[in-house]
Amino acid sequence: MVQGRCECGKVRFEAPSVRETVTVCHCSQCRRTSGHLWASTHAPFKELSFFESEGLEWYASSSFAKRGFCKFCGSSLFYRMNDEEGIGIAAGCLESPTGLRIGKHIFVSGKGDYYAIGDDAPQIETF
Ligand SMILES: [Zn+2]
Ligand SMILES: [Zn+2]
């Protein structure tokens, strides 16, 4: 089981497994909502079990997707396309050791000018 939670604990969940690779999104929307980069793994939404979801709130960040966060502590937790059965889960909210590795960087043209990408994972312009 993979377990994750927000900083204050008002959102707690687990999944049987998550995708081994982390996708890092550099678009300006992800950088704003996360504070830096949105780095997420993935799982089928129906496989997530919530022990605690009192803090979970959704923000419709576009006409096609929403972002889940904790309304008490502000942790960025999820990204979900409206028509998708899966859910993106913030790598940073998972308990260590995660066993995950970075699989790709997306929307790198939107990257901030204050950092460099320091690994050799593929860099692409789409999802
Ligand atoms: Zn919280
Ligand atoms: Zn993004």
Side-chain angles (χ1 to χ4, degrees):
M1 280 290 178
V2 176
Q3 297 194 333
R5 67 172 176 89
C6 68
E7 171 60 19
C8 78
K10 297 280 190 179
V11 182
R12 289 177 184 276
F13 63 92
E14 72 176 13
S17 65
V18 295
R19 192 160 63 198
E20 268 179 32
T21 52
V22 172
T23 297
V24 182
C25 187
H26 298 262
C27 83
S28 61
Q29 187 184 80
C30 283
R31 290 191 295 108
R32 284 200 179 85
T33 55
S34 68
H36 178 38
L37 302 172
W38 172 246
S40 63
T41 178
H42 202 267
F45 181 70
K46 64 178 184 335
E47 291 185 3
L48 259 63
S49 305
F50 285 88
F51 308 119
E52 177 62 76
S53 59
E54 188 190 350
L56 185 57
E57 198 70 70
W58 294 92
Y59 166 63
S61 56
S62 69
S63 60
F64 55 85
K66 50 190 179 291
R67 292 167 188 269
F69 63 97
C70 176
K71 66 183 176 188
F72 295 106
C73 68
S75 299
S76 295
L77 300 168
F78 303 115
Y79 179 87
R80 193 172 188 206
M81 309 277 265
N82 296 333
D83 61 355
E84 187 189 32
E85 293 185 2
I87 185 169
I89 304 168
C93 77
L94 300 177
E95 301 299 332
S96 291
T98 66
L100 304 180
R101 62 189 160 78
I102 294 195
K104 61 183 173 182
H105 296 270
I106 62 173
F107 296 109
V108 289
S109 66
K111 183 177 116 18
D113 61 5
Y114 59 92
Y115 63 88
I117 297 174
D119 58 58
D120 55 8
Q123 301 181 18
I124 59 176
E125 270 315 310
T126 63
F127 284 106

